[in-house]
Amino acid sequence: MLSSAWHPPRLEARALRVRLKPANMRIFLGLLASLLGFVAVHLFRWGDQYGLPWLMVIVAILTSLYGRGWGGLAAVLALALDGWLGGARHLGWSAVLLGITFVIADLIGRDLRRAYLRQQETAAQLSLLVAALEELSGLGSQVAILRALPELLGRHGEGHVSVWQPQPGGMGLVSAVGLDPSAPSLLPERGVVARCARQGQRVYLGDVRQDSDYIALPNSNIQSELALPLLERGQVIAVLNLERPGPFSPRELEGFEHFAQAVSTQLTQLSERGELQFLNQLSTSLDSATTPVGVAERALALLVGALGLEQGWLWMQQGTRMVALAVYGGETPLTEIPYAQGLVWEVYHTGRPTYAQDYSENPRAIPEFRQAFGGVVAHPVFLSNQERPRVVLSLQQKSPRMWREAEQDLLAAACRTLGLALDGALAAQQRDELIALSHEAAEAPVEEVYRKILETAVRLVPGAEAGSLLVREGATFRFKALLGFDPSLKSHVFSEAEQFHWYAGSAQDWYRGEPRVLSSAHTDLKQFSNEEILVSGRIEEIASNLALPVVYRGEVLAILYLDNLHDPAAFGEDSLTVARFFATPIAALLHEVRYRGLLERAAATDALTGLLNRRAFDHRLEEELGRAQRYGHPLGLLVMDLRGFKRINDSLGHAKGDEALVRVAEVLERSKRDGDVLFRWGGDEFAVLLSNTNLAGATAAAQRYAAAIESVCMEGLALGVNIGAAAYPADAKDGDTLLQRADQRMYQAKSSGVSVMAL
């Protein structure tokens, strides 16, 4: 500790001055009574032998109370007085008795004086400590108490007092009285003060010159130093340091230690009371928030203010990203953290809080923010049924910071309260999103409903970053919505047995709609796939997969697959809980969509042939053209007009004509490839949309369809066809022009007497 040459008054000096004063009125009256007794004996001549005891009393009182000096003087004067008044015949005997009285009184009085001195010192020090503690009790914060201590002790007799707090790199000065102005405000991590902070117990140097770590200023006359730890919940948060030109007495050391313990108790009580008040305030504030964002914003505002920090975030895992649910304060533009970067992802994987005194020195720091952050904490916020914290609180300030245990306890309690509030808000959000999805599905096209169901599932189910939805079509299942996978998967059709194999669970769970999780850490996911979809389905990339059979009245209507491509442990019990919550309303929604689809299909289907009708063609052309434009794929169109149909209708009757149309539809169905969509416009006109097909491919398909139609013969009457082919974008950029170009080529084929006309 660095010191100055200031001379503080000493508590012991005050006690000695008290000791030199007459004890009280009773002592004075005792001496006066003894003297009067002695005079009375000689005045009334009651016997010389009765005068000596009164002198012995006077000698005993003065010797026991004031020591040998006053006692010896009293004995000599008493002997002289006794000899003068009583004669010399008993002088020797009187000297012996007075000497014995002097010795006995001195022996007894020595202990009495020591006890009296201790009592006076204790009373004076107790007065000091009680007065200081009374003043401290009116202060409402830790900082206020630490700043007030030197001044309070200075006013009560201690003039060279300072308070220091642990800081990164040493001990920082909080407040001081009598400290030399040239002394530094940061002490190195050595010396009495730092040693006291490390050991958590009193450190006393009776002679600072004997300590090699003591750093004294020139001309300093400090001899002794006393460092006392100030604790908050058992942790050293500051050191009270006192220095003197002389030593501390054992009773002073004991007294100051008790004082430091009393201050520590007050700091602990203040901290506990403050934590309780803060948690009550936090709970009350969060109770009135209705959304996760509202909960996050209120919690951050309170925590940043209570801890004196500069900026805070509440992160929520969304697949392979940590996305900021809310940000409070500061100017750092950080709203998203990629997978496995920074302290937030470390907390996600370990489930334990991380405190960094200086972010720039942390090996897991995000490089672009190393110099922007100082003290940083990342703390998990656990929600119901979570094995891993998918919500993480992070707080920071620009300067380095040492995190006290009381602050860590406060954050732990606050995060528990925050987790409970978020549980309710997230459950309400999930419910509201499903209600909104049901409302949107009532008006949206079927394909759009499938897409919204999948996007909502990926957003709501913890751990999901990609997914797919397969919907039942008769006895098979087909991809209807994809997120994060190749759209070409939509051309694949699967049997229920194939999907049950991929589910890899029991039949009972399959028909109950129980979700299951597969992890690449324990299972080779390739064994459940075929080579055809190994690449487009990214099977080798999937780290974890959650499958949810969507069941309605005992029938599996759809299978929802959710995937994480990075973390084998991405899905936990919380993911399964949300999936189960998701299953029932989605099953009802898919059933409604299926029923609506049946009605729409009936309205869009030709009753005779079972092919889609002209109304469906108009809708499908716009849809397929939009998809082709979006993904940059070509789109082929064939327009067909039968030859010879009128002759069959006129010669064989309408029934045979209808049969001929049915047979044409059948041969077209047998000849189509995956992705071709057949339509009957009406009468003897048909059309085909060919996805991902250019003009050459469309022309080849037209030749195939023409050959199939020309194979139809009704009682010797053969059918023929004229077909016009066109393709986007080679022939047209919009649907009307594309249809017009194909129609023109169909008429050209008819006038030219050929089956197919493409150019």
Side-chain angles (χ1 to χ4, degrees), residues 442-460:
E443 303 294 335
V446 173
E447 296 297 325
E448 186 72 9
V449 173
Y450 294 146
R451 182 183 65 80
K452 286 181 177 295
I453 288 175
L454 178 59
E455 289 177 349
T456 303
V458 171
R459 187 170 59 255
L460 294 185

Side-chain angles (χ1 to χ4, degrees), residues 142-143 146-147 163-175 184-190 193-194 197-198 235-239 357-358 397 399-404:
Q142 176 206 102
V143 174
L146 297 181
R147 287 186 179 277
V163 174
W164 304 80
Q165 275 192 306
Q167 293 182 4
M171 301 294 294
L173 179 65
V174 178
S175 181
S185 59
L186 182 67
L187 296 178
E189 294 180 341
R190 61 186 180 89
V193 174
R198 287 194 303 271
Q235 182 191 20
V236 177
I237 62 164
V239 173
Q357 290 188 17
D358 191 344
Q397 65 181 35
S399 59
R401 182 187 183 110
M402 295 185 69
W403 299 94
R404 306 194 321 272

Side-chain angles (χ1 to χ4, degrees), residues 336-400:
E336 184 176 307
I337 304 177
Y339 185 74
Q341 292 189 25
L343 301 183
V344 171
W345 278 107
E346 180 182 356
V347 171
Y348 166 77
H349 286 293
T350 64
R352 297 189 300 272
T354 296
Y355 293 88
Q357 290 188 17
D358 191 344
Y359 188 74
S360 64
E361 297 177 357
N362 194 288
R364 296 191 62 84
I366 300 175
E368 55 265 40
F369 296 105
R370 280 187 181 276
Q371 303 307 317
F373 296 166
V376 173
V377 57
H379 203 290
V381 179
F382 282 96
L383 307 181
S384 299
N385 300 318
Q386 282 191 349
E387 298 174 5
R388 282 182 170 180
R390 302 187 189 276
V391 178
V392 179
L393 169 73
S394 67
L395 307 168
Q396 69 92 11
Q397 65 181 35
K398 293 180 180 178
S399 59

Side-chain angles (χ1 to χ4, degrees), residues 461-473:
V461 176
E465 64 170 301
S468 55
L469 178 67
L470 289 91
V471 177
R472 179 183 289 276
E473 291 184 347

Side-chain angles (χ1 to χ4, degrees), residues 499-510:
Q499 288 305 302
F500 179 70
H501 174 67
W502 173 253
Y503 176 71
S506 67
Q508 182 181 7
D509 288 344
W510 170 260

Side-chain angles (χ1 to χ4, degrees), residues 383-440:
L383 307 181
S384 299
N385 300 318
Q386 282 191 349
E387 298 174 5
R388 282 182 170 180
R390 302 187 189 276
V391 178
V392 179
L393 169 73
S394 67
L395 307 168
Q396 69 92 11
Q397 65 181 35
K398 293 180 180 178
S399 59
R401 182 187 183 110
M402 295 185 69
W403 299 94
R404 306 194 321 272
E405 290 183 12
E407 293 175 331
Q408 297 181 28
D409 292 342
L410 175 67
L411 278 172
C415 286
R416 287 192 293 269
T417 302
L418 177 56
L420 293 174
L422 278 176
D423 261 333
L426 287 170
Q429 182 189 53
Q430 293 167 1
R431 182 178 62 251
D432 292 345
E433 290 208 28
L434 289 177
I435 292 173
L437 179 61
S438 298
H439 291 163
E440 292 175 9

